[in-house]
Amino acid sequence: MSAAGGFPSWVLLERYLFHRDDKDSFPDESSAPIRASATTTWGADFRIAFSVVEPPRISRLYAHLPPPGFPHPDKELPLYMLATHRHLALLKVSSSEIGVQNLFIFRADEKNPSSSLLKLLPACTEPEIDYSRGDDRLRLRRQPSNATPRRPRLMSYSLGLWCGGEDKPEELVVAELTVFVLDDYTNAFADICLLRSTFTGDQLGGKWGTMRVPILSTDNDDLWKLSRWQTGAIIPFQRWLCWIDYQKGILFCDVSSKVPTISFLWFPLDTSSYPLTTTTCNIFYGGVSVVDHGRLLKFVNVARNDGLVYEALKPGTGFTITCHTLVVLGGDGSMGWKEDYTITSDELRGQLTLDGGIPMFPRVDMYRPHVVHFHYIEFGCGRALEKMWVLSVDMSTKTVESFYLYMDVNVYRKMDDKARLQINDDADFMRSTCLHRTPSPFIPCEFPRFISRKRKDME
């Protein structure tokens, strides 16, 4: 499904950065047409470019980050895509000086994609939260004016991005959320650090603020489990930013309101015992996707029968893939899950290789909600990643729609240094996997559909 101007309506973006210190190796406009450039607060110039292809092919983000203003990618990723929503994206850029970071908003330019906007967000000067009191009062730990911060105030893994709809496309919210449960498990709160801003032409303002918001619809048993919350993903959905713990559920934060409200919904999993077993759900095998122009929320889970986490599937075992849709249950706005599809590995046998391989990181197709895209990982010795495929399954017909090899680690490792230099993309991929040890899920992005399109094409 292609948008006007030759761009896809949406893309699956590789999480890893494809780094180009040599400006001559930076892709040209024909191969990476969506481009932007900016300058950091420490005076370092950089530029980025997106190569975009129709899913299930994978799109990539390239960056030219010349030294000495940025860390070497073997030590730290100098630029990282944190989140996207509609025509916007949130990026973190790191300095070669430890702890110095900038946050930038990328905005796709409708008329000139090769000169899209990268705008620096205001710095967060909010003090850290003091959790030592154990009550429901928000207490800020203020440092002396001459103190040097030990780390950035904002934690990247908990930052989300939300922007307004068709009526307010220039409004945006960037927010960090931390779950806090009282020691006696009588109440739960979300501590939120939030920037609400609006584009005025190319200018972006706003000021960070901190608040504590009660989490609604919880009982004492829920509170005990929420105290062990671990954010695995943050996605925007309608008026909410959703913080996700794949072993528990979703926190829905209504960021469209000046005073956010937060509610909690469990995933449709077997929660009769806690901690949850590895066969229920975790960050490798669960995926929440927004589809149908932002109207629907889907949850896909791959349950392994062997109880293992990140390694080859045991011989003689299999897996089950389930897909659920979020539904409103009544007039009070309460939510629940409706099961759409279930597929077992036996039903896919013969359509793809099942010798130890396992589908991971599910992403529902943005415009075909019955199709799910996966990493399909084949392991070598121990937990070593050997091959990675991109698998697309039509859940409605229980058939493999496509299955292609994305990365063969063995081929790369057997090459000499000269041959490796000729496949820069794979070299960047290998560098990133060495830093993070496990693959990362692809990022669904729809900003290409906002480029060179007419208003009528948006729906």
Side-chain angles (χ1 to χ4, degrees), residues 208-235:
W208 292 90
T210 307
M211 64 193 77
R212 173 164 283 179
V213 180
I215 298 176
L216 307 176
S217 305
T218 55
D219 56 31
N220 288 342
D221 186 52
D222 291 341
L223 294 174
W224 183 74
K225 297 171 185 177
L226 282 174
S227 67
R228 289 152 178 81
W229 182 271
Q230 290 186 327
T231 297
I234 309 105
I235 62 171

Coordinates of all heavy atoms in Angstrom, one line a residue, residues 208-235:
W208 N 9.2 21.5 30.8 CA 9.0 20.3 31.5 C 8.3 20.5 32.8 O 8.6 21.5 33.5 CB 10.3 19.5 31.7 CG 10.9 19.0 30.4 CD1 11.8 19.7 29.6 CD2 10.7 17.8 29.8 NE1 12.2 19.0 28.5 CE2 11.5 17.8 28.6 CE3 9.9 16.7 30.1 CZ2 11.6 16.7 27.7 CZ3 10.0 15.6 29.2 CH2 10.8 15.6 28.1
G209 N 7.5 19.6 33.2 CA 6.9 19.6 34.5 C 6.8 18.2 35.1 O 6.8 17.2 34.3
T210 N 6.6 18.1 36.4 CA 6.5 16.8 37.1 C 5.2 16.7 37.9 O 4.8 17.7 38.5 CB 7.7 16.6 38.0 OG1 8.9 16.8 37.3 CG2 7.8 15.2 38.6
M211 N 4.6 15.6 37.9 CA 3.4 15.4 38.6 C 3.3 13.9 39.1 O 3.9 13.0 38.5 CB 2.2 15.7 37.7 CG 2.0 14.9 36.5 SD 0.8 15.5 35.3 CE 1.9 16.8 34.6
R212 N 2.5 13.7 40.1 CA 2.2 12.3 40.5 C 0.7 12.1 40.4 O -0.1 12.9 40.8 CB 2.6 12.2 42.0 CG 2.1 10.8 42.6 CD 2.8 10.5 43.9 NE 4.2 10.0 43.6 CZ 5.1 9.7 44.6 NH1 4.7 9.8 45.8 NH2 6.3 9.3 44.2
V213 N 0.3 11.0 39.6 CA -1.0 10.7 39.2 C -1.4 9.4 39.8 O -0.7 8.4 39.6 CB -1.2 10.8 37.7 CG1 -2.6 10.5 37.3 CG2 -0.7 12.1 37.1
P214 N -2.6 9.2 40.5 CA -3.0 7.9 40.9 C -3.3 7.0 39.8 O -3.9 7.4 38.7 CB -4.2 8.2 41.8 CG -4.7 9.5 41.3 CD -3.5 10.3 40.9
I215 N -3.0 5.7 39.9 CA -3.4 4.7 38.9 C -4.7 4.1 39.3 O -4.9 3.6 40.4 CB -2.3 3.6 38.9 CG1 -1.0 4.2 38.4 CG2 -2.7 2.5 37.9 CD1 0.2 3.2 38.4
L216 N -5.7 4.2 38.4 CA -7.1 3.8 38.7 C -7.3 2.3 38.5 O -6.5 1.7 37.8 CB -8.0 4.6 37.8 CG -7.9 6.1 37.8 CD1 -8.8 6.8 36.8 CD2 -8.1 6.7 39.2
S217 N -8.4 1.8 39.0 CA -8.8 0.4 38.7 C -7.8 -0.6 39.1 O -7.4 -1.5 38.3 CB -9.2 0.3 37.2 OG -10.1 1.2 36.8
T218 N -7.4 -0.6 40.3 CA -6.5 -1.6 40.8 C -6.9 -2.1 42.2 O -7.6 -1.4 43.0 CB -5.0 -1.0 41.0 OG1 -5.1 0.1 41.8 CG2 -4.4 -0.7 39.6
D219 N -6.7 -3.4 42.5 CA -6.9 -3.9 43.8 C -5.6 -4.3 44.5 O -4.6 -4.1 43.9 CB -7.9 -5.1 43.7 CG -7.3 -6.3 42.8 OD1 -6.1 -6.4 42.7 OD2 -8.1 -7.0 42.2
N220 N -5.7 -4.8 45.7 CA -4.4 -5.0 46.5 C -3.5 -6.0 45.8 O -2.3 -5.9 45.8 CB -4.8 -5.5 47.9 CG -5.4 -4.4 48.7 OD1 -5.2 -3.3 48.4 ND2 -6.0 -4.8 49.8
D221 N -4.1 -7.1 45.1 CA -3.3 -8.0 44.4 C -2.6 -7.4 43.2 O -1.4 -7.6 43.0 CB -4.1 -9.2 44.0 CG -3.3 -10.3 43.3 OD1 -2.3 -10.7 44.0 OD2 -3.6 -10.7 42.2
D222 N -3.3 -6.5 42.5 CA -2.7 -5.8 41.4 C -1.6 -4.9 41.9 O -0.5 -4.8 41.2 CB -3.8 -4.9 40.7 CG -4.8 -5.7 40.0 OD1 -4.6 -6.9 39.7 OD2 -5.9 -5.1 39.7
L223 N -1.7 -4.3 43.0 CA -0.7 -3.3 43.5 C 0.6 -4.1 43.8 O 1.7 -3.5 43.5 CB -1.2 -2.6 44.7 CG -2.4 -1.7 44.5 CD1 -2.9 -1.2 45.9 CD2 -2.1 -0.5 43.6
W224 N 0.5 -5.2 44.3 CA 1.7 -6.0 44.6 C 2.5 -6.3 43.3 O 3.7 -6.2 43.3 CB 1.4 -7.3 45.4 CG 2.6 -8.0 45.8 CD1 3.5 -7.7 46.8 CD2 3.1 -9.2 45.2 NE1 4.5 -8.7 46.8 CE2 4.3 -9.6 45.8 CE3 2.6 -10.0 44.1 CZ2 5.0 -10.7 45.5 CZ3 3.4 -11.2 43.8 CH2 4.5 -11.5 44.5
K225 N 1.7 -6.7 42.3 CA 2.4 -7.0 41.0 C 2.9 -5.7 40.3 O 3.9 -5.8 39.7 CB 1.4 -7.8 40.1 CG 1.0 -9.1 40.7 CD -0.1 -9.8 40.0 CE -0.6 -11.1 40.7 NZ -1.8 -11.7 40.0
L226 N 2.1 -4.6 40.4 CA 2.6 -3.4 39.8 C 3.9 -2.9 40.4 O 4.6 -2.1 39.8 CB 1.5 -2.3 39.9 CG 0.3 -2.4 38.9 CD1 -0.7 -1.4 39.3 CD2 0.8 -2.2 37.5
S227 N 4.1 -3.2 41.7 CA 5.4 -2.8 42.3 C 6.6 -3.3 41.7 O 7.7 -2.8 41.9 CB 5.3 -3.2 43.8 OG 5.4 -4.6 44.0
R228 N 6.4 -4.3 40.8 CA 7.6 -5.0 40.1 C 7.5 -4.6 38.6 O 7.9 -5.4 37.8 CB 7.6 -6.5 40.3 CG 8.0 -6.8 41.8 CD 7.4 -8.1 42.2 NE 7.9 -8.5 43.6 CZ 7.4 -8.0 44.7 NH1 6.4 -7.1 44.6 NH2 7.9 -8.3 45.9
W229 N 6.9 -3.5 38.3 CA 6.7 -3.0 36.9 C 8.0 -2.8 36.2 O 9.0 -2.2 36.8 CB 5.9 -1.7 36.9 CG 5.6 -1.2 35.5 CD1 6.4 -0.4 34.8 CD2 4.5 -1.6 34.8 NE1 5.8 -0.2 33.6 CE2 4.6 -0.9 33.5 CE3 3.3 -2.3 35.0 CZ2 3.6 -0.9 32.5 CZ3 2.4 -2.4 34.0 CH2 2.5 -1.7 32.8
Q230 N 8.1 -3.3 35.0 CA 9.3 -3.1 34.1 C 8.8 -2.7 32.7 O 8.2 -3.5 32.0 CB 10.2 -4.3 34.0 CG 10.9 -4.7 35.3 CD 11.9 -5.8 35.1 OE1 11.7 -6.7 34.4 NE2 13.0 -5.7 35.8
T231 N 9.0 -1.4 32.3 CA 8.6 -1.0 31.0 C 9.4 -1.6 29.9 O 10.6 -1.6 29.9 CB 8.7 0.6 30.9 OG1 7.9 1.2 31.9 CG2 8.3 1.1 29.5
G232 N 8.6 -2.2 29.0 CA 9.3 -2.9 27.8 C 9.0 -2.1 26.5 O 9.7 -2.3 25.5
A233 N 8.0 -1.3 26.5 CA 7.7 -0.5 25.3 C 6.7 0.6 25.7 O 6.0 0.5 26.7 CB 7.0 -1.4 24.2
I234 N 6.7 1.7 24.8 CA 5.8 2.8 25.0 C 5.2 3.1 23.6 O 6.0 3.3 22.7 CB 6.4 4.1 25.6 CG1 7.2 3.7 26.9 CG2 5.4 5.1 25.9 CD1 8.7 3.7 26.7
I235 N 3.9 3.1 23.5 CA 3.3 3.4 22.2 C 2.1 4.4 22.3 O 1.5 4.4 23.4 CB 2.8 2.1 21.5 CG1 1.7 1.4 22.3 CG2 3.9 1.1 21.2 CD1 1.0 0.3 21.5

